[in-house]
Amino acid sequence: MTVNKTTISIIKADVGGFTGHHVVHPQQIEFANKEMEKAKANGLVEDFHVTYVGDDLELIMGHKKGENDKNIHELAWNVLSAVTEKVSKPLKLYGAGQDLLADAFSGNVKGMGPGVAELEFEERKSDPILIFMADKCAPGAWNLPLYKIFADPFNTAGLVIDINLHSGFIFEVLDTRDGKIVKLKTPEESYDLLALIGDPNRYVISKIYRSDGMPAAAASTTKLSLIAGRYVGKDDPVCIIRAQGGLPAVGEVLETFAFPHLVAGWMRGSHNGPLMPVSVSESQNKCTRFDGPPRVVGLGFQVCNAKLIGPTDMFNDPAFDRARSVAGEIADYMRLHGPFMPHRLSSEEMEYTTLPEVLDKLKDRFQKSE
Ligand code: F6R
Ligand code: MG
Ligand code: MG
């Protein structure tokens, strides 16, 4: 426990969808808000904000307990479980409790299904943060935007013209296959970094620090399929980014989302599609076409003694209309491929496949080719 530091934690899960997998139900939000209000009254969290993207319920918390705190994780687990039991199941919402993979809480929600991103830091004189939450995609979805924000001078002017950013950033990368992490420093090791994170199915950025060690960003890295050993839905990741005053400006962080890059997920967690930046409001924040396309919501807060001042809805701006329209065009183009790669993911990445059954059925009909 670090008393003089603030921690922002986001713990999230799909605990049941409303009309299939497309959005959360308003009663889930209402119920979660009431539960979180009690935790605030008890002083466990200084502040919170309950929100959603598509069918994922997001608990954003400001507190003083540090990362991986048992009580904070238990609170989130209990709230997500209670929403499942008291709202999702009684309303027979779709896939009620689908991301809660463990029977009971065991100290830390990591590895139990929910996605987690946490960042502990000493508050600056003023500390703007941005929180991004995506639906219908895998954790590797942040690799490209995080690289552009913290390492690409064509995106982030400050890397060149602000002396505080000029010495670069340290990226912590998780190898999701063997659970190991490696730290790489940009700009010196940019090519090594890109060699890894260019494969977002395997290598996922988990943390970013400024070269002097200042914590700058944290992303969730859960791979539900690796935990469950079977398809349980894509992970729908979240990330926290600190901005301004010697870090990328809010506008530099947002700039990368003007490009709706391709991410793995979409229908049945088995298709590449564009990541569309949308407002948190009901009119845009739902996954419809082909269960998508994959979406990202961005909220801005000023952190003030672990309180969350805000949010502001970052993509609720005509400046992102074009990105949404381009995402629509990319969606048309990708959909025209139907069941063919690269719209469909590779057999290894697909988490929803009949290939073993098809191969088994055909095994006696395969003959040696001449
Ligand atoms: C993707 C997702 C949905 C479902 C699809 C089929 O992450 O959750 O695209 O995979 O709607 O769902 P089931 O098999 O439950 O009918
Ligand atoms: Mg779902
Ligand atoms: Mg989801």
Side-chain angles (χ1 to χ4, degrees):
M1 184 167 120
T2 329
V3 181
N4 59 346
K5 288 191 181 176
T6 287
T7 303
I8 303 298
S9 300
I10 316 178
I11 303 188
K12 48 82 50 186
D14 176 346
V15 289
F18 175 35
T19 323
H21 287 281
H22 108 284
V23 78
V24 299
H25 191 282
Q27 283 182 34
Q28 292 173 305
I29 302 270
E30 202 183 310
F31 188 88
N33 262 313
K34 279 193 193 138
E35 295 296 302
M36 291 301 298
E37 199 59 66
K38 290 182 209 159
K40 189 176 167 182
N42 293 339
L44 182 52
V45 293
E46 300 297 318
D47 207 357
F48 70 89
H49 182 74
V50 176
T51 188
Y52 72 101
V53 55
D55 62 3
D56 288 275
L57 188 61
E58 316 271 347
L59 310 176
I60 304 172
M61 297 168 272
H63 59 91
K64 295 276 185 185
K65 314 240 178 261
E67 296 174 17
N68 292 309
D69 181 77
K70 182 175 174 288
N71 296 320
I72 295 290
H73 281 229
E74 189 167 29
L75 164 69
W77 177 264
N78 288 344
V79 172
L80 295 167
S81 303
V83 172
T84 304
E85 296 305 320
K86 303 281 190 226
V87 183
S88 311
K89 287 186 181 171
L91 296 183
K92 287 178 70 177
L93 295 181
Y94 198 70
Q98 73 159 46
D99 288 355
L100 305 182
L101 302 176
D103 296 329
F105 180 71
S106 62
N108 190 306
V109 291
K110 274 187 198 154
M112 296 176 68
V116 189
E118 295 186 289
L119 197 62
E120 185 186 43
F121 52 88
E122 257 171 61
E123 281 187 32
R124 297 171 290 168
K125 198 169 145 215
S126 175
D127 228 300
I129 59 162
L130 293 160
I131 291 186
F132 296 98
M133 296 157 278
D135 191 25
K136 302 296 182 277
C137 60
W142 304 133
N143 282 8
L144 185 148
L146 286 175
Y147 180 84
K148 285 180 72 179
I149 294 162
F150 288 99
D152 178 5
F154 282 78
N155 182 86
T156 299
L159 291 168
V160 181
I161 63 179
D162 179 345
I163 198 65
N164 296 306
L165 279 78
H166 208 77
S167 33
F169 288 87
I170 299 158
F171 287 70
E172 184 184 282
V173 178
L174 172 74
D175 179 346
T176 57
R177 222 168 282 172
D178 65 12
K180 289 188 177 157
I181 56 162
V182 61
K183 285 187 179 173
L184 293 163
K185 166 80 179 49
T186 57
E188 300 88 318
E189 297 180 300
S190 300
Y191 297 162
D192 292 340
L193 175 64
L194 287 168
L196 300 184
I197 64 171
D199 176 358
N201 183 41
R202 175 160 182 182
Y203 298 99
V204 178
I205 298 168
S206 47
K207 279 261 164 77
I208 300 174
Y209 304 89
R210 202 167 66 175
S211 61
D212 60 2
M214 179 199 253
S220 63
T221 52
T222 324
K223 282 206 90 175
L224 290 175
S225 58
L226 295 183
I227 301 170
R230 63 185 161 83
Y231 177 81
V232 282
K234 280 281 180 219
D235 306 279
D236 305 334
V238 291
C239 80
I240 306 166
I241 299 179
R242 292 172 82 197
Q244 305 288 158
L247 289 169
V250 167
E252 288 167 334
V253 174
L254 297 176
E255 173 65 8
T256 183
F257 293 99
F259 164 49
H261 69 295
L262 290 175
V263 296
W266 208 348
M267 174 55 76
R268 297 176 189 275
S270 302
H271 294 83
N272 283 311
L275 187 65
M276 182 189 265
V278 293
S279 157
V280 75
S281 65
E282 208 188 319
S283 59
Q284 295 187 357
N285 186 4
K286 51 188 167 191
C287 289
T288 52
R289 182 179 178 189
F290 203 54
D291 282 358
R295 258 145 234 255
V296 56
V297 158
L299 296 185
F301 295 92
Q302 285 290 150
V303 180
C304 176
N305 305 322
K307 296 229 168 357
L308 298 163
I309 311 304
T312 49
D313 182 359
M314 290 299 178
F315 297 131
N316 183 14
D317 182 340
F320 284 94
D321 283 350
R322 186 163 150 69
R324 289 188 271 273
S325 143
V326 169
E329 277 173 38
I330 298 169
D332 285 343
Y333 175 81
M334 296 303 283
R335 284 298 302 125
L336 284 173
H337 293 78
F340 285 84
M341 290 168 61
H343 180 30
R344 202 207 79 184
L345 299 183
S346 68
S347 307
E348 194 194 34
E349 287 176 273
M350 279 172 82
E351 291 162 351
Y352 210 112
T353 178
T354 46
L355 194 62
E357 283 92 338
V358 172
L359 286 174
D360 190 54
K361 192 175 76 183
L362 298 180
K363 68 178 185 300
D364 299 329
R365 289 167 56 189
F366 273 99
Q367 294 177 8
K368 219 173 165 71
S369 76
E370 291 312 312

